[in-house]
Amino acid sequence: MAAFTADAFKKELIAILDYWEKYGPDPEKGGFYGQVNYENQPVKDSPRSVVLTGRILWTFSLAHRLFKEVKYLTLADRAYQQLVKSFIDPEHGGVYWSVKADGSPLETKKQIYGNAFAMYGLSEYYRITHHQPALDQAIALFNVIEKHAFDPVNGGYREAFARDWTHTDDYILSKSPWIKSMNTHLHLVEAYTNLYSVWPDKKLKKQTSDMLEAIITHIVNPETNSMRLFFDEKWKPKDNIISYGHDIEASWLLFETAEILHGEKLIEKMKKKSIQMATAVNKGLSADGALNYEYDPETKHTQTDRSWWVAAEQLVGFYNAYELTKDNQFKIKAERSWDYIINEFVDKEKGEWYGTVKADGTPVKGDKINFWKCPYHNARACAEMLRRIQKA
């Protein structure tokens, strides 16, 4: 078994950060490359996504908060400059979904998911720098999301808009005109929670609390304690697919939100729900200790690929359930998750993690950096485990 210690998590976290420090920055155009292939060669003209940029900003801001090293602050500064220079829409507010390699706008739609990760990064950057413009921009994103995306009748947030915040039928994440989604709400509540930790505003607190309630009322299926993925405006579910990674990620993120909001009743409610969700995820575990990707109850089909981000989230989610219950079965699941990560996901030749590993343990040698392959899930998992093990 891989060492399940604070030193082991710190070592892997630093290895991830070292990789991104070496291969991520674009010395010619500034900021960070939008794509780096498996051979660690940059695709220089690749577009840059706001999701990747916001997550890099968050990751290196967190790294500086943890280790107080100047190099991490320098990389956070680099991501911050890229975000504010290229992604923020000076005319309509909010952030573009993607830009070209030269920083000019590419996909100008206002995807709430993308705005959430910009807010997430900006609020973490403000936490380490106290740079007021960063907080001001995060607050501006909160205000524009509340103005255009919040549904005052049914609760929750609509999925996407055109550049000027008018209607669009291109939703990017789902490729279908569903009005609301699990994924957007999960990461929006995550961003609101992080913003609240540095800006304890009353309206922000209420909206965050209400969103948490909407998630556990409408998105989490009360019969299965798994989340449904897509909904119409009135929260009618459009599917029953189970995404194991999102379920285990939500099990600890939603509890974290309740803790940061400091409501005793809310904390107890979310503690119960968190344990139920982590328990329900057991259905997706394979004999090797890794979670399958997803399951479709209608077709009875299981997508058995293992994903880097799912592996990272199951590590934290199962350990969080252990902390809440002191039930050793959850600790064993967390330990097996870490063992699988070290043995199967960590690329000992090229660095970082493989994005996908097949059920038989064969790695898929895809991009190391792209629109979605970022340092956020795995770096955060290592940082969370470092914090939790040290606290224990």
Side-chain angles (χ1 to χ4, degrees):
M1 292 284 288
F4 199 80
T5 63
D7 284 346
F9 293 118
K10 181 179 180 180
K11 179 182 177 182
E12 183 56 29
L13 173 56
I14 290 173
I16 293 166
L17 296 170
D18 286 349
Y19 178 92
W20 284 81
E21 179 186 5
K22 183 175 182 179
Y23 295 110
D26 181 346
E28 296 175 6
K29 298 183 177 68
F32 292 80
Y33 291 117
Q35 184 180 0
V36 173
N37 66 23
Y38 178 72
E39 299 298 329
N40 294 329
Q41 298 300 313
V43 182
K44 293 186 177 182
D45 291 330
S46 57
R48 286 100 197 271
S49 73
V50 72
V51 172
L52 176 60
T53 305
R55 289 172 171 183
I56 291 172
L57 175 58
W58 181 88
T59 299
F60 282 110
S61 297
L62 171 75
H64 181 70
R65 179 156 61 89
L66 289 178
F67 301 126
K68 305 295 187 292
E69 290 197 25
V70 173
K71 64 179 181 178
Y72 296 141
L73 177 59
T74 300
L75 290 161
D77 288 340
R78 186 183 192 91
Y80 173 73
Q81 293 299 329
Q82 184 177 29
L83 183 67
V84 298
K85 179 182 177 182
S86 300
F87 287 94
I88 292 171
D89 184 339
E91 184 178 354
H92 299 289
V95 292
Y96 305 129
W97 181 247
S98 65
V99 299
K100 297 176 184 177
D102 64 6
S104 59
L106 182 58
E107 294 174 284
T108 60
K109 304 175 190 69
K110 300 299 163 60
Q111 192 81 23
I112 300 306
Y113 184 100
N115 281 266
F117 276 106
M119 182 191 296
Y120 193 54
L122 287 164
S123 56
E124 192 68 20
Y125 182 72
Y126 174 76
R127 190 191 302 223
I128 63 164
T129 63
H130 300 290
H131 183 57
Q132 189 62 38
L135 179 60
D136 292 344
Q137 189 56 60
I139 294 170
L141 290 176
F142 167 70
N143 288 330
V144 78
I145 289 169
E146 288 297 320
K147 179 179 179 180
H148 295 291
F150 177 63
D151 181 348
V153 177
N154 304 293
Y157 295 79
R158 294 189 63 190
E159 182 81 354
F161 301 84
R163 179 184 175 182
D164 62 359
W165 296 97
T166 56
H167 174 75
T168 181
D169 59 3
D170 187 348
Y171 281 56
I172 298 176
L173 295 181
S174 63
K175 297 297 183 186
S176 301
W178 310 138
I179 303 300
K180 296 168 183 173
S181 78
M182 171 279 296
N183 211 1
T184 289
H185 281 84
L186 177 61
H187 293 296
L188 187 61
V189 79
E190 171 188 23
Y192 274 27
T193 300
N194 211 50
L195 179 58
Y196 182 76
S197 68
V198 296
W199 183 60
D201 176 77
K202 288 182 179 180
K203 180 181 178 182
L204 173 59
K205 182 176 184 178
K206 181 181 185 304
Q207 294 304 93
T208 307
S209 179
D210 288 352
M211 187 172 8
L212 185 59
E213 289 284 354
I215 290 170
I216 61 177
T217 300
H218 300 296
I219 294 178
V220 179
N221 185 333
E223 297 178 3
T224 64
N225 286 304
S226 296
M227 297 188 294
R228 293 168 291 212
L229 305 189
F230 302 108
F231 307 83
D232 69 10
E233 192 170 7
K234 296 182 179 180
W235 293 108
K236 181 181 177 182
K238 295 294 184 178
D239 74 311
N240 288 301
I241 291 174
I242 296 173
S243 175
Y244 296 116
H246 287 111
D247 285 347
I248 196 65
E249 180 181 18
S251 74
W252 75 269
L253 277 179
L254 299 181
F255 180 73
E256 179 184 67
T257 293
E259 283 191 306
I260 290 174
L261 293 179
H262 296 305
E264 287 187 18
K265 289 183 179 179
L266 189 60
I267 289 172
E268 280 305 308
K269 185 175 183 178
M270 275 314 308
K271 178 180 178 180
K272 181 179 178 181
K273 183 58 64 175
S274 176
I275 295 166
Q276 289 173 337
M277 293 179 74
T279 302
V281 166
N282 286 337
K283 296 188 295 289
L285 270 177
S286 296
D288 57 16
L291 278 173
N292 292 313
Y293 195 78
E294 65 183 23
Y295 173 70
D296 186 342
E298 291 186 14
T299 64
K300 308 296 183 185
H301 176 69
T302 299
Q303 165 56 276
T304 60
D305 284 356
R306 288 80 159 98
S307 177
W308 63 282
W309 71 265
V310 175
E313 298 303 337
Q314 72 175 80
L315 169 65
V316 181
F318 285 134
Y319 195 79
N320 180 70
Y322 165 70
E323 289 180 314
L324 296 180
T325 63
K326 299 307 177 185
D327 186 338
N328 208 48
Q329 64 152 318
F330 288 119
K331 185 180 182 183
I332 291 170
K333 289 180 172 66
E335 289 171 343
R336 293 196 70 202
S337 302
W338 180 237
D339 201 49
Y340 190 92
I341 286 167
I342 293 300
N343 291 322
E344 307 296 343
F345 271 105
V346 174
D347 185 344
K348 298 169 180 64
E349 180 185 357
K350 300 292 185 181
E352 241 276 353
W353 295 12
Y354 299 111
T356 302
V357 174
K358 293 294 184 180
D360 65 2
T362 303
V364 177
K365 297 181 177 180
D367 290 337
K368 286 299 175 67
I369 297 175
N370 61 30
F371 247 63
W372 298 97
K373 184 68 166 58
C374 61
Y376 142 84
H377 287 285
N378 53 357
R380 181 175 71 178
C382 292
E384 278 292 319
M385 293 306 300
L386 173 61
R387 177 180 69 82
R388 291 166 190 256
I389 296 291
Q390 287 177 334
K391 182 183 70 174

